[in-house]
Amino acid sequence: FLQSESCGRCVILDGGLATELERRGEKLSSLLWNAHLLALNPSSIQKLHSDYYRAGADVAITCSYQASYTSFSKELNLSTNQVDDLLRLSVQLAKQARDQVWEEELARGGFLLGVGNGIDR
């Protein structure tokens, strides 16, 4: 829980992405952990974000914790521009899930929280 001064209440963070993705059958043994799904199966990330919002989360944490230029280059041989696109996608997936669920639930309101492993380029 986080206390939000702007809305005067506690806000609820989503659950652990990696744990739930593994429970749903995703293999997360690479250096990128769950971030490799940004390139290989982004719909699984968006679905999980949606499920967490539907379960009451106010905040989605992006799927970018282990994402870095070095790790994406090492694991998937991606260029800097491709990594930039995937990092943006990590935010877009959370935002699209939020917007879809909140539209269905009459604009409940909420937040996004981007995370990263640092800039290494």
Side-chain angles (χ1 to χ4, degrees):
F1 295 97
L2 294 174
Q3 180 66 36
S4 173
E5 297 299 321
S6 64
C7 65
R9 65 177 177 87
C10 290
V11 294
I12 300 169
L13 299 175
D14 65 2
L17 287 176
T19 301
E20 183 60 18
L21 286 166
E22 284 184 315
R23 192 189 71 73
R24 294 177 181 205
E26 297 291 349
K27 304 296 181 220
L28 306 180
S29 58
S30 80
L31 176 66
L32 288 165
W33 201 19
N34 56 13
H36 80 279
L37 295 173
L38 292 167
L40 303 177
N41 191 5
S43 63
S44 67
I45 298 167
Q46 186 171 357
K47 169 84 169 91
L48 182 52
H49 283 313
S50 295
D51 291 346
Y52 279 138
Y53 281 124
R54 282 189 183 94
D58 297 304
V59 179
I61 300 171
T62 61
C63 187
S64 53
Y65 175 72
Q66 286 296 106
S68 71
Y69 293 91
T70 301
S71 59
F72 270 120
S73 176
K74 244 184 210 182
E75 290 286 315
L76 300 176
N77 197 32
L78 298 180
S79 70
T80 300
N81 288 339
Q82 290 171 310
V83 175
D84 287 341
D85 290 343
L86 290 179
L87 293 174
R88 280 190 286 276
L89 179 62
S90 72
V91 175
Q92 291 168 354
L93 293 171
K95 188 173 187 259
Q96 289 167 354
R98 179 200 66 188
D99 293 349
Q100 176 189 8
V101 170
W102 291 349
E103 183 177 309
E104 293 167 5
E105 296 183 7
L106 303 173
R108 178 176 67 180
F111 310 92
L112 298 174
L113 178 62
V115 297
N117 197 18
I119 303 299
D120 64 357
R121 68 170 170 168

